[in-house]
């Protein structure tokens, strides 16, 4: 099959606010379900969003032989549920195992505008914290958030400062984080520049 006729969806442009939430790991069952992995904080988003964008993998073992489609496609999601350490989903137009297997490696993205609102004003999506400046109570700039890590009990802000020469890690817990101001693109923390 040609890549553009391999799946029943039309190519589309990715929305500018698309966020990578994981990838299709494999088929699940015989009725066209897929298993999605690599989801850190995005499980609630996967479960609630009914419109996903799939893009071909650009790295890893599936990138070379991926032929389901050549450009991003938008898919409708019928069902999503948690299954062990992954999520399983039923995508409209994928009704058998062989079609689901062809999606192995596809990158799963969701538009940030389709994320459900958080119930708690002190809860934030990680994607919204990336790129924020971090300053301490004295106004000293500690760096810019470039990544968040999940350590189990809590997340950790990973900062870069001085053009990447200084790296800091600050637990994202109320004991150290005073305020998150998304509008000002700033996080205020109780942390000193010489803390290791």
């Amino acid at each position: 099959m040609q890549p553009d006729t391999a799946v029943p969806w039309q190519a589309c442009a990715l929305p500018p606010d698309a966020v990578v939430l994981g990838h299709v790991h494999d088929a699940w069952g015989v009725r066209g379900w897929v298993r999605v992995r690599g989801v850190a904080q995005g499980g609630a988003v996967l479960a609630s969003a009914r419109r996903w964008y799939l893009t071909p993998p650009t790295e890893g073992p599936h990138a070379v032989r991926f032929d389901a489609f050549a450009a991003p496609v938008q898919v409708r999601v019928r069902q999503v549920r948690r299954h062990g350490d992954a999520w399983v989903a039923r995508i409209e137009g994928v009704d058998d195992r062989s079609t689901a297997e062809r999606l192995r490696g596809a990158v799963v993205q969701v538009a940030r505008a389709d994320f459900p609102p958080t119930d708690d004003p002190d809860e934030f999506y990680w994607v919204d914290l990336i790129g924020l400046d971090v300053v301490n109570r004295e106004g000293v700039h500690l760096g810019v958030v470039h990544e968040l890590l999940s350590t189990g009990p809590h997340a950790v802000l990973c900062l870069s400062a001085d053009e990447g020469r200084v790296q800091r890690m600050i637990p994202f817990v109320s004991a150290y984080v005073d305020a998150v101001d998304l509008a000002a693109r700033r996080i205020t923390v109780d942390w000193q520049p010489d803390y290791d």
Side-chain angles (χ1 to χ4, degrees):
M1 282 187 184
Q2 298 300 317
D4 60 347
T5 61
V7 292
W9 313 292
Q10 295 294 319
C12 71
L14 278 176
D17 64 344
V19 178
V20 174
L21 294 179
H23 66 277
V24 175
H25 180 69
D26 204 349
W28 186 75
V30 296
R31 296 191 178 165
W33 287 66
V34 295
R35 181 186 303 263
V36 179
R37 289 194 172 216
V39 180
Q41 188 202 21
V45 176
L46 283 180
S48 68
R50 291 297 170 240
R51 178 178 56 180
W52 293 358
Y53 296 89
L54 302 180
T55 57
T58 57
E59 56 186 40
H62 300 295
V64 174
R65 56 184 180 266
F66 189 87
D67 68 350
F69 45 83
V73 296
Q74 179 182 313
V75 298
R76 286 265 182 232
V77 181
R78 293 181 184 167
Q79 289 178 275
V80 180
R81 66 177 183 244
R82 182 92 175 154
H83 184 73
D85 63 346
W87 292 82
V88 292
R90 188 163 184 215
I91 297 172
E92 197 170 285
V94 180
D95 297 315
D96 58 76
R97 184 174 180 87
S98 62
T99 304
E101 286 175 340
R102 298 195 61 217
L103 296 177
R104 271 188 207 131
V107 179
V108 177
Q109 300 184 51
V110 173
R112 175 62 183 89
D114 291 341
F115 282 31
T118 58
D119 297 330
D120 183 342
D122 290 329
E123 280 187 32
F124 303 93
Y125 286 111
W126 287 9
V127 67
D128 295 336
L129 302 177
I130 304 294
L132 297 188
D133 287 311
V134 179
V135 297
N136 68 10
R137 291 176 175 175
E138 293 77 30
V140 175
H141 186 262
L142 299 174
V144 175
V145 179
H146 69 84
E147 183 181 9
L148 281 99
L149 297 176
S150 177
T151 62
H154 60 267
V156 174
L157 298 170
C158 300
L159 315 179
S160 287
D162 296 329
E163 298 176 359
R165 290 189 299 269
V166 176
Q167 302 290 317
R168 290 189 176 93
M169 298 176 82
I170 301 173
F172 192 64
V173 294
S174 61
Y176 301 113
V177 177
D178 292 337
V180 175
D181 187 339
L182 294 178
R185 303 201 40 80
R186 183 178 55 245
I187 300 173
T188 305
V189 295
D190 181 13
W191 200 264
Q192 295 303 315
D194 57 349
Y195 287 1
D196 288 336

